[in-house]
Amino acid sequence: MSQPESAVADAQAGGRSGEPLAKLAKRYGLRRAIARPRFPVYVRQLWERRHFILTYATSRNVSKYSNSTLGQLWQVLTPLLNAAIYFLMFGLILGGSKNIENYPAFLLTGMFIFTYTQRTVTAGAKSITGNLSMIRALHFPRASLPLAYTIQELQQLAISMSVLLVLVVATGEFPTWFWLMIPVVLLLQTMFNIGAGLVVARLGASMRDLNQLLPFITRTWLYASGVFFSIQAKVVGSAGLPQWVADLMYLNPAASFIEWMREILIKSHNPELGHHPPTMVWMSCVFWAVFALGFGFWYFWRAEERYGRG
């Protein structure tokens, strides 16, 4: 009798005699069909599937707007239309543009940067539940899906940022050497987005109501990130709240990335600081990028064998 046949026979006998199946599996060197690999192995498996991740992200980008008349233009039109609405409501009607030089560039920068994170988080929450058939049919690191969704949004951001830079120049700003820092900020933001996408992907796989809650969460996040108003002017100047409240809002990751990008693109945003963001802002960006990426991978990996079950 072969070893597999012996293992099956012993497992049946063990089941009847009450001997733990785990002990039998250990004796014959058997392991679960879907077992969570060690973390370094898991990361290596993801790297080996990098071409699949990139191809999957690209194909989703191509097919996403294939049935619409304007096609890929919607990825630029959506933040532009949102910015136009917010400019009308908060900039003109509610007077949010007071004491803010070059408010159009201020608002557009906030909208484009926030939209990148918002879309990544929203897509990440559906990355597991929206691909259950693939997960159940194929064996691959499940983190490939949230990663592909993040890369998909990054590809769209590349077009959006080109439009943003043109619009910023059109509002009176001129390119400087500090614009070379733009990829650094986007890299840190992408690291944060990957981590955040992995966290919500695991939560979304077990909490089916998360997709219903996310619009309210991201809308609150939008209002707390200073997208269409100056945190310092509104919180400390208008509301008269202590400075630590404004500092706490700047530590919000979305607000930090937005503030740093505004410091780079808009010369008049903070004249006394020039193009150098406050230390607190760039330190917040670095912290959130490293923490979210590390924690997100670990948190998602811990539930690797549970995705697609139930």
Side-chain angles (χ1 to χ4, degrees):
M1 184 180 295
S2 64
Q3 185 177 9
E5 293 173 340
S6 300
V8 172
D10 286 354
Q12 293 173 342
R16 291 191 294 268
S17 64
E19 183 178 1
L21 294 179
K23 185 176 180 180
L24 287 172
K26 184 178 181 180
R27 181 196 309 172
Y28 288 99
L30 303 179
R31 61 185 181 88
R32 288 177 297 172
I34 303 177
R36 183 181 72 234
R38 292 181 298 108
F39 190 72
V41 175
Y42 189 68
V43 174
R44 187 177 70 247
Q45 291 176 350
L46 281 172
W47 175 251
E48 291 171 351
R49 288 162 176 82
R50 62 191 182 278
H51 300 297
F52 159 73
I53 295 173
L54 181 60
T55 302
Y56 183 60
T58 304
S59 64
R60 281 184 55 83
N61 246 336
V62 172
S63 63
K64 184 173 183 178
Y65 301 101
S66 59
N67 294 325
S68 61
T69 303
L70 297 179
Q72 299 291 326
L73 283 176
W74 278 113
Q75 59 188 295
V76 177
L77 289 176
T78 299
L80 281 178
L81 291 174
N82 285 332
I85 294 172
Y86 285 126
F87 178 76
L88 176 64
M89 292 299 301
F90 295 96
L92 299 180
I93 298 177
L94 298 179
S97 60
K98 292 181 179 178
N99 302 321
I100 299 180
E101 295 187 40
N102 200 353
Y103 186 72
F106 178 93
L107 179 61
L108 287 168
T109 302
M111 280 303 306
F112 276 70
I113 296 301
F114 182 83
T115 299
Y116 175 37
T117 294
Q118 179 189 39
R119 290 169 61 107
T120 302
V121 170
T122 303
K126 304 174 183 177
S127 60
I128 299 298
T129 56
N131 293 280
L132 290 179
S133 58
M134 183 191 301
I135 291 173
R136 290 166 179 168
L138 303 174
H139 178 67
F140 62 95
R142 309 314 188 198
S144 301
L145 296 173
L147 277 173
Y149 279 58
T150 303
I151 292 175
Q152 177 189 355
E153 298 301 332
L154 179 62
Q155 291 174 339
Q156 295 187 0
L157 179 72
I159 300 175
S160 300
M161 283 300 298
S162 301
V163 176
L164 175 61
L165 295 181
V166 171
L167 292 174
V168 167
V169 171
T171 60
E173 302 294 336
F174 295 97
T176 67
W177 288 108
F178 293 99
W179 283 31
L180 296 176
M181 289 293 295
I182 292 174
V184 176
V185 181
L186 295 181
L187 172 62
L188 293 174
Q189 187 181 7
T190 301
M191 291 170 60
F192 170 79
N193 288 356
I194 291 173
L198 288 167
V199 170
V200 296
R202 175 176 171 178
L203 294 176
S206 57
M207 298 170 53
R208 298 306 170 91
D209 292 332
L210 180 63
N211 289 323
Q212 307 303 321
L213 293 173
L214 264 181
F216 301 99
I217 295 173
T218 54
R219 192 174 300 120
T220 303
W221 197 7
L222 170 74
Y223 294 146
S225 300
V227 172
F228 40 80
F229 65 90
S230 169
I231 293 177
Q232 183 69 26
K234 289 295 183 182
V235 173
V236 179
S238 300
L241 296 175
Q243 180 62 42
W244 65 266
V245 178
D247 293 340
L248 189 63
M249 292 182 68
Y250 279 126
L251 294 178
N252 160 13
S256 295
F257 292 119
I258 290 171
E259 187 69 14
W260 196 355
M261 188 63 73
R262 282 171 175 162
E263 295 290 347
I264 293 172
L265 294 178
I266 308 173
K267 185 177 181 180
S268 59
H269 179 50
N270 204 336
E272 64 271 15
L273 291 176
H275 289 274
H276 302 284
T279 303
M280 176 184 65
V281 170
W282 68 260
M283 288 184 65
S284 173
C285 292
V286 173
F287 168 79
W288 282 115
V290 175
F291 173 77
L293 185 66
F295 176 78
F297 265 113
W298 174 84
Y299 182 72
F300 186 91
W301 164 76
R302 291 285 296 175
E304 174 71 12
E305 70 273 16
R306 299 204 295 268
Y307 300 126
R309 296 191 174 187

